[in-house]
């Protein structure tokens, strides 16, 4: 059982509890992106099991008419075991899912393989997919040029992995400036839609200005448990908002990551528990 303090960031351990959270936020005009927690599998059986759960989860989203989609991690689908294992599992999910399938981006050693698999399947599904790209990686401008010619959506994030300086911008103000430039490129060149994967008010207002200028459709994507009142406020202004919702038995390390990232997250979670 997940303790109440972690419950703010993780929607239970089962697909049923995660779906019920999606239905709750749907009532507030916020859509869900469900992610089954799990990564860096070395045993193909683990990757197969999570693949199967995603297939069943996608069926549940459709059958319950929930407004939501799924987001998978390459290393959960076996990218560390082999590119072929990852591609096969991703293909099975994409074949079975009616909803959009997002692919998270992990560390820079996986970027090429992830892009190749995404390109193959987003063409096959006529763009019923989305890919995350990271502003901290120096290569991302070129990757966006490649993605601009493909169907599907792109989610721009600042980047969560501690990458070497040869491949990544390390300074936060540089990453912020690059994020804004890449966002502008995406609004100018993409027509499939843009996911603004950030809690940063500055990036979100920049996206609003770019939308006014270029008219490109976009959505704001934020994590469960982070700036949820802002999520509701944006949704009330008719801006599409998606909440990224992790769930599953491997919640502990995810919760610690949120806490390490920002100590206020614990204070916030504790306040929410104490005042509920
Ligand atoms: P930061 O640069 O961390 O903070 C900027 C400002 O945002 C802060 O000053 C504050 O005003 C506000 N803010 C940030 N956090 C909080 C908070 N907890 N409470 C209140 N205000 C806050 N990374 C990857 O590498 N790969 C992925 O696939 C990936 N997927 C993601 C999906 C989603 C939907 C989101 C939201 C993030 C994802 N990330 C991913 C993580 C991302 O790369 C960043 O590490 C993370 O979002 C922090 O950057 P930020 O832009 O939100 O804000």
């Amino acid at each position: 059982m997940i303790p109440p303090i972690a419950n703010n960031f993780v929607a239970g351990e089962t697909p049923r509890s995660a779906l019920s959270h999606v239905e709750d936020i749907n009532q507030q005009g916020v859509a869900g992106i469900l992610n089954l927690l799990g990564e860096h599998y070395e045993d193909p059986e683990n990757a197969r099991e999570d693949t199967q759960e995603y297939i069943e989860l996608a069926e549940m989203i459709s059958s319950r008419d929930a407004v939501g989609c799924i987001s998978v991690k390459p290393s959960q689908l076996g990218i560390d075991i082999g590119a072929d294992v990852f591609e096969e599992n991703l293909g099975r999910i994409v074949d079975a899912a009616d909803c959009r399938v997002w692919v998270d981006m992990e560390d820079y050693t996986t970027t090429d393989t992830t892009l190749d698999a995404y390109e193959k399947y987003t063409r096959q599904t006529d763009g019923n997919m989305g890919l995350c790209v990271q502003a901290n990686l120096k290569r991302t401008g070129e990757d966006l040029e490649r993605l601009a010619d493909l169907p599907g959506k792109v989610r721009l994030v600042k980047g969560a992995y501690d990458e070497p300086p040869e491949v990544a911008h390390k300074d936060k103000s540089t990453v912020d400036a690059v994020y804004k430039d890449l966002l502008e490129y995406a609004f100018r060149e993409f027509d499939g839609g843009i996911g603004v994967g950030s809690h940063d008010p500055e990036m979100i207002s920049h996206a609003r200005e770019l939308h006014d200028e270029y008219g490109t459709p976009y959505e704001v994507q934020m994590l469960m448990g982070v700036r949820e009142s802002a999520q509701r406020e944006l949704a009330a202004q008719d801006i599409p908002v998606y909440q990224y919702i992790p769930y599953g038995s491997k919640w502990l390390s995810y919760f610690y990551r949120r806490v390490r990232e920002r100590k206020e997250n614990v204070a916030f979670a504790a306040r929410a528990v104490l005042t509920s």
Side-chain angles (χ1 to χ4, degrees):
M1 179 127 147
I2 302 184
I5 201 158
N7 253 340
N8 290 290
F9 300 98
V10 180
E13 295 190 275
T14 64
R16 197 171 290 274
S17 60
L19 248 304
S20 138
H21 178 77
V22 174
E23 285 166 346
D24 285 349
I25 61 168
N26 283 174
Q27 300 293 321
Q28 300 159 344
V30 177
I33 303 177
L34 287 170
N35 170 255
L36 168 63
L37 290 164
E39 58 193 332
H40 297 303
Y41 292 148
E42 288 171 4
D43 181 346
E45 190 48 36
N46 295 136
R48 253 195 305 277
E49 277 168 16
D50 281 14
T51 298
Q52 190 53 38
E53 180 153 338
Y54 274 121
I55 291 170
E56 287 161 22
L57 184 63
E59 275 165 14
M60 284 171 80
I61 292 174
S62 304
S63 66
R64 286 166 69 154
D65 276 338
V67 187
C69 53
I70 58 177
S71 198
V72 303
K73 279 210 171 357
S75 73
Q76 165 175 51
L77 302 187
I79 205 169
D80 297 348
I81 305 163
D84 54 337
V85 178
F86 164 56
E87 247 195 66
E88 189 192 326
N89 286 329
L90 181 61
R92 287 186 55 216
I93 295 170
V94 166
D95 273 351
D98 283 335
C99 65
R100 184 173 303 279
V101 178
W102 282 96
V103 182
D104 287 355
M105 192 60 88
E106 297 180 277
D107 75 82
Y108 82 101
T109 63
T110 63
T111 312
D112 282 323
T113 308
T114 305
L115 271 161
D116 290 347
Y118 174 78
E119 173 161 2
K120 175 174 166 185
Y121 293 121
T122 200
R123 285 188 193 282
Q124 280 177 22
T125 58
D126 206 17
N128 200 20
M129 290 187 73
L131 179 69
C132 181
V133 292
Q134 300 146 321
N136 67 330
L137 289 192
K138 293 176 181 169
R139 58 175 290 163
T140 296
E142 278 176 33
D143 291 340
L144 277 180
E145 284 175 27
R146 174 175 171 188
L147 291 168
D149 292 333
L150 300 179
K153 289 194 187 185
V154 70
R155 172 202 305 148
L156 182 63
V157 300
K158 291 186 186 172
Y161 295 83
D162 186 16
E163 309 282 22
E166 301 80 58
V167 299
H169 308 292
K170 301 299 287 179
D171 166 58
K172 180 165 165 43
S173 59
T174 309
V175 175
D176 286 352
V178 171
Y179 189 101
K180 286 186 177 174
D181 289 347
L182 294 175
L183 206 54
E184 168 139 28
Y185 175 83
F187 271 89
R188 222 177 39 235
E189 302 295 333
F190 279 64
D191 42 27
I194 298 157
V196 181
S198 178
H199 309 104
D200 191 338
E202 205 179 318
M203 303 305 146
I204 293 164
S205 64
H206 189 52
R208 294 176 81 149
E209 287 161 16
L210 291 167
H211 173 70
D212 290 344
E213 188 175 346
Y214 296 105
T216 317
Y218 77 111
E219 63 204 36
V220 174
Q221 299 186 0
M222 295 194 201
L223 303 182
M224 178 181 175
V226 180
R227 300 198 68 213
E228 288 200 358
S229 57
Q231 297 177 26
R232 290 188 289 273
E233 279 161 26
L234 290 165
Q237 294 164 43
D238 286 334
I239 295 171
V241 177
Y242 278 78
Q243 185 180 105
Y244 184 103
I245 304 161
Y247 80 95
S249 58
K250 301 183 185 77
W251 55 269
L252 191 59
S253 56
Y254 177 82
F255 175 60
Y256 278 139
R257 211 179 315 150
R258 295 281 79 78
V259 170
R260 272 202 311 274
E261 200 173 80
R262 207 175 160 90
K263 296 201 179 55
E264 293 94 313
N265 280 341
V266 190
F268 160 78
R271 241 190 338 268
V273 171
L274 291 171
T275 55
S276 62

